[in-house]
Amino acid sequence: MGNHNHHHHEHSGESLIDAARDSLVSSGEQWTSMRADIFEELARHERPASAYDIADNLSAKRGKRVAPNSVYRILDLFVANNLALRVESANAFLANSHPGCEHDCIFLVCDECGEATHIDNDEISEKVRGVAKAADFRARRPIIEIRGTCASCS
Ligand SMILES: [Zn+2]
Ligand SMILES: [Zn+2]
Ligand SMILES: [Zn+2]
């Protein structure tokens, strides 16, 4: 994560789905039809989505009930494999536009419309990690989220 000169790829649409599948498969996990459906559903959401949102949409799409718990487990797997990002203060998830590379992603979360703008700034996250290290604390994952009002809501 300390490498500022890596080849950073941002994906969207079909290319994002391909990149997510490749990334999951290369870490030895299967891209099942349920996982594919959940990822596509997540990628369709512009705002952070909860397991309940995804389960509702998927139940409608598949014509049979999909339990939020199974969606939640798969979202957790996605987060662990860098396919999805968890927006903690919204208790919801976003598809990760850069499944191929790891960052401590930063979010600007709008209190009005719920939009979460995704920012990568390794300089800031490394400073946060440095503060933890100086306090003899081993940082696993800094969570940097800024609540406020987005441009279209202000
Ligand atoms: Zn990157
Ligand atoms: Zn990021
Ligand atoms: Zn807003």
Side-chain angles (χ1 to χ4, degrees):
M1 255 168 261
N3 181 6
H4 296 269
N5 304 314
H6 68 284
H7 197 63
H8 186 89
H9 264 299
E10 291 282 334
H11 296 272
S12 60
E14 281 299 312
S15 132
L16 175 57
I17 289 162
D18 289 347
R21 187 196 51 229
D22 291 351
S23 184
L24 193 66
V25 168
S26 73
S27 52
E29 293 283 352
Q30 282 187 314
W31 188 251
T32 62
S33 79
M34 180 61 105
R35 290 173 182 182
D37 277 358
I38 289 176
F39 189 82
E40 278 175 36
E41 200 51 56
L42 186 65
R44 230 194 311 275
H45 278 79
E46 282 185 26
R47 299 193 177 131
S50 70
Y52 289 91
D53 297 333
I54 306 255
D56 279 351
N57 295 350
L58 222 54
S59 300
K61 186 182 163 193
R62 293 197 148 203
K64 72 175 199 219
R65 201 181 104 84
V66 175
N69 262 350
S70 358
V71 173
Y72 198 85
R73 272 196 301 275
I74 291 174
L75 290 172
D76 261 355
L77 173 88
F78 286 170
V79 170
N81 286 279
N82 202 36
L83 268 59
L85 304 169
R86 203 185 145 83
V87 182
E88 302 287 346
S89 67
N91 194 20
F93 302 82
L94 276 176
N96 186 0
S97 52
H98 51 72
C101 82
E102 280 192 32
H103 290 276
D104 294 323
C105 304
I106 298 168
F107 294 104
L108 312 178
V109 186
C110 180
D111 288 329
E112 308 294 325
C113 69
E115 185 166 284
T117 305
H118 168 198
I119 290 172
D120 293 305
N121 186 322
D122 292 348
E123 222 172 297
I124 292 175
S125 60
E126 271 162 37
K127 270 191 189 134
V128 173
R129 283 178 177 272
V131 166
K133 196 176 179 189
D136 225 0
F137 184 84
R138 185 134 52 99
R140 179 168 48 83
R141 182 166 93 87
I143 295 160
I144 311 171
E145 298 180 2
I146 303 170
R147 304 288 315 208
T149 314
C150 78
S152 41
C153 290
S154 45

